[in-house]
């Protein structure tokens, strides 16, 4: 076991357990926020595992998850709009911590790797992960002013 795999294990253990607890317990508002945070826990772990095992195909999984995770959160938020109407979930400290974790993992992997297409892919994954989760969290916390339905 190398350092990358150990970091992925620790990150999945902490973030994955917290997200699993949030998804399985509590009101719908907390479940939707925890579902959004699941992307923030699993995607950086896939990036670390890709480096640890030397499997670039894991980067493709992370890219797919960074792209579809926040979209899934927005779909759930739209489907559960009636249940979430009275309670607006907000988890900004957790959202910023997850964004910081994603940025730290992407930065560490960019420094450890060689410049090239893989580095560009890592930066795209990082941008999608961070911006997607910030947008989904903002939409869950009350939406955007001036946008239909917000």
């Amino acid at each position: 076991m190398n350092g990358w795999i150990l970091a992925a294990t620790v990150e999945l253990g902490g973030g994955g357990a917290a997200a699993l607890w949030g998804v399985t317990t509590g009101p719908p508002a907390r479940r939707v926020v925890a579902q959004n945070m699941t992307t923030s826990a699993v995607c950086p772990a896939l990036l670390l595992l890709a480096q640890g095992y030397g499997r670039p195909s894991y980067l493709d999984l992370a890219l797919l998850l960074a792209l579809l995770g926040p979209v899934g959160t927005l779909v759930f938020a739209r489907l559960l709009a009636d249940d979430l109407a009275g309670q607006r979930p907000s988890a900004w400290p957790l959202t910023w911590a997850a964004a910081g974790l994603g940025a730290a993992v992407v930065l560490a992997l960019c420094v450890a790797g060689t410049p090239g297409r893989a580095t560009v892919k890592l930066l795209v994954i990082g941008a999608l992960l961070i911006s997607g989760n910030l947008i989904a969290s903002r939409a869950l916390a009350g939406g955007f002013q001036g946008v239909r339905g917000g």
Side-chain angles (χ1 to χ4, degrees):
M1 177 180 286
N2 60 30
W4 299 109
I5 298 172
L6 180 63
T9 303
V10 169
E11 194 269 329
L12 269 179
L20 183 64
W21 177 77
V23 168
T24 58
T25 62
R30 186 168 73 201
R31 290 178 183 189
V32 173
V33 169
Q35 187 272 333
N36 187 40
M37 290 299 115
T38 302
T39 302
S40 299
V42 174
C43 191
L46 282 172
L47 295 175
L48 290 167
L49 289 172
Q51 181 71 22
Y53 287 124
R55 304 224 178 198
S57 60
Y58 291 177
L59 293 178
D60 296 335
L61 290 173
L63 177 62
L64 184 66
L65 184 62
L67 192 61
L68 294 179
V71 172
T73 300
L74 294 175
V75 168
F76 279 122
R78 182 73 172 161
L79 291 173
L80 297 173
D82 294 337
D83 294 335
L84 300 176
Q87 50 183 334
R88 282 294 174 195
S90 181
W92 284 109
L94 184 60
T95 299
W96 285 108
L101 173 70
V105 167
V106 168
L107 182 64
L109 292 173
C110 285
V111 169
T114 59
R117 291 176 60 192
T119 303
V120 173
K121 188 185 271 190
L122 278 172
L123 293 174
V124 168
I125 291 169
L128 284 172
L129 177 65
I130 293 167
S131 63
N133 282 317
L134 290 176
I135 289 170
S137 293
R138 175 69 178 123
L140 287 173
F144 296 95
Q145 297 301 324
V147 176
R148 191 178 103 200

